[in-house]
Amino acid sequence: MVLHIVAIPIGFVFLLFRIWIVEVKLKEELQFRRRYFSRFFAYYTCLALLFGLSLYPLNIMAIIAFPILIVTSIWDVNFYRRFNTQEYWAKNKRWAILERLTLHPPVVILSIFIIFNDARNYIQPPNLVLLVASVVTLFLPFFFVDERWTKRYKWPQALLVIGLVIASGVSLLLAEAFLWGVPIW
């Protein structure tokens, strides 16, 4: 319980920091990438911490993002590999690296924490309908604001993200249904 109380101020500070660095400090550099879905995952992680890991829909987002971020970690590797050749990072290089370091790793760390601390306490909804409704609601930003989908920017990435989201969400749904016996209604 003490850990959950500690999570609240961490979540608050982390959320304010993420909003500031994405929406203010690196607004010019990130441009439309500010609306990439991984940044929404980071916001969901901040909110999960802000609510003391007590809201399963937000915790579910971290768990669903976990395998996606592992699969797409190659994008992070490419970011760091190409970083010095990207002219639009020249003005705020250190901030750009800090933004990237606080983008995916916190989601992965929170997911690992949830997994190793009896995930059912954090991600088991009362029924599967609520799980599906939560996931659909929380994934809507991808379809409305992520330009990889809305404007077909880097088009294969959008399809990969959609496929990974569906695979991860269905895997969690099946695990909750068959391993934990969560009822449909």
Side-chain angles (χ1 to χ4, degrees), residues 142-173:
F142 175 79
F143 296 103
F144 291 117
V145 298
D146 192 323
E147 288 197 10
R148 291 173 294 184
W149 175 260
T150 61
K151 294 187 179 174
R152 307 298 192 255
Y153 175 77
K154 290 191 175 183
W155 178 239
Q157 277 188 4
L159 295 177
L160 179 64
V161 170
I162 291 168
L164 290 170
V165 165
I166 290 170
S168 184
V170 168
S171 297
L172 181 62
L173 181 76

Side-chain angles (χ1 to χ4, degrees), residues 33 61 90 99 120 134-136:
R33 291 173 192 86
M61 293 310 296
E99 190 277 334
R120 282 199 264 187
S134 298
V135 171
V136 168

Side-chain angles (χ1 to χ4, degrees), residues 46-96:
C46 296
L47 291 171
L49 291 168
L50 182 61
F51 285 99
L53 303 174
S54 63
L55 295 178
Y56 68 84
L58 295 170
N59 300 339
I60 284 171
M61 293 310 296
I63 290 295
I64 287 177
F66 179 64
I68 297 167
L69 295 177
I70 289 174
V71 171
T72 61
S73 63
I74 189 76
W75 297 340
D76 284 337
V77 172
N78 288 337
F79 171 82
Y80 293 116
R81 213 177 72 220
R82 297 179 189 153
F83 183 76
N84 286 327
T85 63
Q86 304 297 321
E87 292 181 22
Y88 55 88
W89 291 119
K91 182 175 149 187
N92 288 308
K93 281 187 172 191
R94 290 186 180 151
W95 288 109

